Amino acid sequence: MPELIEIEYYREALDALVGGMIDSVDIPDERFTRPKGTPIEPFAQLAGERLLKTSRLGKLLCLHIGPVGDPEAEVLLGLRFGMTGRLLINGSGPIDKLEYASGRDEPAWDRFTLTVDGNRVSIRDQRRLGSIELEPDLERLGPEASTVTAEQLAVALTGRTKALKAVLLDQQLIAGLGNLLVDECLWRAGLAPSRPVNDLSAHEIERLAVMIVDTVADLSARGGSHTGDSFDARNEHAQCPRDCGEMRHDTVGGRSTWWCPVHQV
DNA sequence: ATTGTGGCCTGCCCGC
DNA sequence: TGCGGGCAGGCCACAA
């Protein structure tokens, strides 16, 4: 479930530990490191350093780690949460329950644990779809969705033929939107998810950019990606909350998609 | 280069 | 009750 909004909640929670000393790093299983096959050792060597800062780009949460007062020696540790990953601090998460995740909650699913001044920070990820990476390449991510401008959006769309939804999900083009946020943004903007992007007018692009920024802000304040106006209509035979048309279920960009054919055109 | 597909992983839910 | 298939809100490697 975690999309930009949830990752930002994680970052804010983690921010309380900035300045602390990393006592230990525990990665039980090499399958969680990226790129695949990266040994655990370089991660373990972060013990003894300090957590200097946190940052986020899209769904990537970054920990800036190193000795105080020596920016040259700073190392970036990137955390990705996949679909089922949660950040736990001392056993509890900023988000209590993941939609669509298992009702169970096993400490055995802790794929990565950092101890900062005695506080346990863990990624609990049942399916191991998340990962950790040293010095992640930030250049591979597009502009941040929560502040995306019409100009940036236009750049992402130009020269492409993909379905609109597929582009919005592509982290290289726009960073941070996941399946739920995209469906809500398109529902609010009145745009069909399967529209080829080269078909959008300048006016529609502008409207969509504003809608993305507003929707992210709105749902952040409400409490998560699952609090959209269209969320309850992600069901068979559900009615569109705007115009009472029947919601339609399709696969677009390889993802399960709910939309309203009446007002999304 | 761009685009679509399948795989990674695991658990749950449904129908037989 | 047991079993197989399909599905899940992310991301990557790969083929066309």
Side-chain angles (χ1 to χ4, degrees), chain A residues 99-100 179-180 255:
Chain A
E99 305 285 333
Y100 281 54
N179 203 30
L180 283 188
R255 314 306 302 280

Tab-separated table of all heavy atoms in Angstrom, chain A residues 99-100 179-180 255, chain C residues 8-12:
chain	number	residue	atom	x	y	z
A	99	GLU	N	-3.899	-1.656	4.314
A	99	GLU	CA	-4.982	-2.185	3.494
A	99	GLU	C	-4.404	-3.245	2.567
A	99	GLU	O	-3.316	-3.102	2.049
A	99	GLU	CB	-5.594	-1.061	2.643
A	99	GLU	CG	-6.078	0.132	3.428
A	99	GLU	CD	-7.380	-0.152	4.156
A	99	GLU	OE1	-8.138	-1.007	3.704
A	99	GLU	OE2	-7.601	0.487	5.198
A	100	TYR	N	-5.130	-4.303	2.380
A	100	TYR	CA	-4.747	-5.369	1.460
A	100	TYR	C	-3.598	-6.205	1.986
A	100	TYR	O	-3.148	-7.119	1.331
A	100	TYR	CB	-4.359	-4.843	0.063
A	100	TYR	CG	-5.547	-4.517	-0.793
A	100	TYR	CD1	-6.522	-3.658	-0.327
A	100	TYR	CD2	-5.706	-5.083	-2.048
A	100	TYR	CE1	-7.628	-3.367	-1.092
A	100	TYR	CE2	-6.800	-4.794	-2.811
A	100	TYR	CZ	-7.761	-3.918	-2.343
A	100	TYR	OH	-8.837	-3.625	-3.103
A	179	ASN	N	-0.951	3.062	-7.275
A	179	ASN	CA	-2.201	2.709	-7.935
A	179	ASN	C	-3.407	3.472	-7.388
A	179	ASN	O	-4.235	3.980	-8.144
A	179	ASN	CB	-2.423	1.200	-7.822
A	179	ASN	CG	-3.346	0.681	-8.895
A	179	ASN	OD1	-3.404	1.213	-9.994
A	179	ASN	ND2	-4.087	-0.345	-8.563
A	180	LEU	N	-3.494	3.557	-6.071
A	180	LEU	CA	-4.674	4.210	-5.479
A	180	LEU	C	-4.687	5.702	-5.752
A	180	LEU	O	-5.713	6.266	-6.119
A	180	LEU	CB	-4.688	3.994	-3.963
A	180	LEU	CG	-5.130	2.643	-3.465
A	180	LEU	CD1	-5.267	2.676	-1.964
A	180	LEU	CD2	-6.440	2.229	-4.098
A	255	ARG	N	-2.128	-2.680	-14.072
A	255	ARG	CA	-2.633	-2.585	-12.701
A	255	ARG	C	-4.147	-2.553	-12.677
A	255	ARG	O	-4.793	-2.038	-13.592
A	255	ARG	CB	-2.112	-1.305	-12.022
A	255	ARG	CG	-0.649	-1.038	-12.219
A	255	ARG	CD	0.218	-2.208	-11.800
A	255	ARG	NE	0.012	-2.550	-10.418
A	255	ARG	CZ	0.560	-1.906	-9.410
A	255	ARG	NH1	1.377	-0.922	-9.629
A	255	ARG	NH2	0.303	-2.267	-8.182
C	8	DA	P	-5.891	-7.464	-8.458
C	8	DA	OP1	-6.891	-6.398	-8.653
C	8	DA	OP2	-4.970	-7.807	-9.547
C	8	DA	O5'	-4.988	-7.104	-7.183
C	8	DA	C5'	-5.587	-6.682	-5.977
C	8	DA	C4'	-4.509	-6.581	-4.904
C	8	DA	O4'	-4.140	-7.910	-4.501
C	8	DA	C3'	-3.203	-5.967	-5.432
C	8	DA	O3'	-3.260	-4.549	-5.335
C	8	DA	C2'	-2.183	-6.544	-4.465
C	8	DA	C1'	-2.784	-7.899	-4.100
C	8	DA	N9	-2.122	-9.001	-4.808
C	8	DA	C8	-2.118	-9.252	-6.152
C	8	DA	N7	-1.434	-10.319	-6.489
C	8	DA	C5	-0.945	-10.783	-5.285
C	8	DA	C6	-0.130	-11.887	-4.947
C	8	DA	N6	0.347	-12.746	-5.851
C	8	DA	N1	0.186	-12.080	-3.638
C	8	DA	C2	-0.297	-11.200	-2.744
C	8	DA	N3	-1.075	-10.125	-2.935
C	8	DA	C4	-1.360	-9.983	-4.242
C	9	DG	P	-3.317	-3.682	-6.580
C	9	DG	OP1	-4.678	-3.182	-6.614
C	9	DG	OP2	-2.761	-4.317	-7.790
C	9	DG	O5'	-2.304	-2.546	-6.165
C	9	DG	C5'	-2.392	-1.236	-6.691
C	9	DG	C4'	-1.633	-0.300	-5.774
C	9	DG	O4'	-2.496	0.052	-4.678
C	9	DG	C3'	-0.402	-0.895	-5.126
C	9	DG	O3'	0.512	0.173	-4.861
C	9	DG	C2'	-0.906	-1.482	-3.817
C	9	DG	C1'	-1.947	-0.446	-3.465
C	9	DG	N9	-3.058	-0.992	-2.724
C	9	DG	C8	-3.692	-2.194	-2.904
C	9	DG	N7	-4.687	-2.389	-2.099
C	9	DG	C5	-4.725	-1.233	-1.338
C	9	DG	C6	-5.589	-0.850	-0.289
C	9	DG	O6	-6.523	-1.477	0.172
C	9	DG	N1	-5.273	0.414	0.213
C	9	DG	C2	-4.264	1.208	-0.250
C	9	DG	N2	-4.090	2.362	0.327
C	9	DG	N3	-3.441	0.861	-1.235
C	9	DG	C4	-3.729	-0.362	-1.718
C	10	DG	P	1.522	0.397	-6.018
C	10	DG	OP1	2.060	1.760	-5.894
C	10	DG	OP2	0.967	-0.074	-7.289
C	10	DG	O5'	2.659	-0.617	-5.546
C	10	DG	C5'	3.275	-0.464	-4.296
C	10	DG	C4'	4.777	-0.570	-4.420
C	10	DG	O4'	5.119	-1.911	-4.781
C	10	DG	C3'	5.383	0.302	-5.510
C	10	DG	O3'	6.683	0.665	-5.062
C	10	DG	C2'	5.424	-0.585	-6.730
C	10	DG	C1'	5.677	-1.951	-6.087
C	10	DG	N9	5.035	-3.051	-6.788
C	10	DG	C8	3.772	-3.069	-7.325
C	10	DG	N7	3.464	-4.233	-7.859
C	10	DG	C5	4.588	-5.017	-7.664
C	10	DG	C6	4.852	-6.356	-8.021
C	10	DG	O6	4.109	-7.145	-8.607
C	10	DG	N1	6.113	-6.754	-7.630
C	10	DG	C2	7.020	-5.959	-6.969
C	10	DG	N2	8.192	-6.504	-6.676
C	10	DG	N3	6.786	-4.694	-6.622
C	10	DG	C4	5.558	-4.293	-7.006
C	11	DC	P	7.606	1.635	-5.978
C	11	DC	OP1	8.504	2.317	-5.034
C	11	DC	OP2	6.739	2.395	-6.891
C	11	DC	O5'	8.506	0.651	-6.832
C	11	DC	C5'	9.523	-0.084	-6.166
C	11	DC	C4'	10.049	-1.142	-7.090
C	11	DC	O4'	8.974	-1.964	-7.569
C	11	DC	C3'	10.734	-0.596	-8.345
C	11	DC	O3'	12.084	-0.966	-8.256
C	11	DC	C2'	10.018	-1.284	-9.506
C	11	DC	C1'	9.391	-2.485	-8.797
C	11	DC	N1	8.202	-3.062	-9.479
C	11	DC	C2	8.223	-4.416	-9.815
C	11	DC	O2	9.216	-5.093	-9.538
C	11	DC	N3	7.150	-4.951	-10.434
C	11	DC	C4	6.085	-4.187	-10.714
C	11	DC	N4	5.041	-4.762	-11.321
C	11	DC	C5	6.049	-2.806	-10.380
C	11	DC	C6	7.117	-2.275	-9.763
C	12	DC	P	13.175	-0.375	-9.278
C	12	DC	OP1	14.265	0.156	-8.465
C	12	DC	OP2	12.515	0.452	-10.299
C	12	DC	O5'	13.666	-1.711	-9.992
C	12	DC	C5'	13.989	-2.845	-9.210
C	12	DC	C4'	14.113	-4.040	-10.142
C	12	DC	O4'	12.794	-4.463	-10.542
C	12	DC	C3'	14.887	-3.707	-11.415
C	12	DC	O3'	15.931	-4.634	-11.605
C	12	DC	C2'	13.843	-3.781	-12.525
C	12	DC	C1'	12.774	-4.697	-11.935
C	12	DC	N1	11.405	-4.391	-12.430
C	12	DC	C2	10.628	-5.427	-12.940
C	12	DC	O2	11.098	-6.573	-12.945
C	12	DC	N3	9.381	-5.146	-13.389
C	12	DC	C4	8.921	-3.901	-13.344
C	12	DC	N4	7.692	-3.672	-13.798
C	12	DC	C5	9.704	-2.828	-12.837
C	12	DC	C6	10.944	-3.111	-12.395
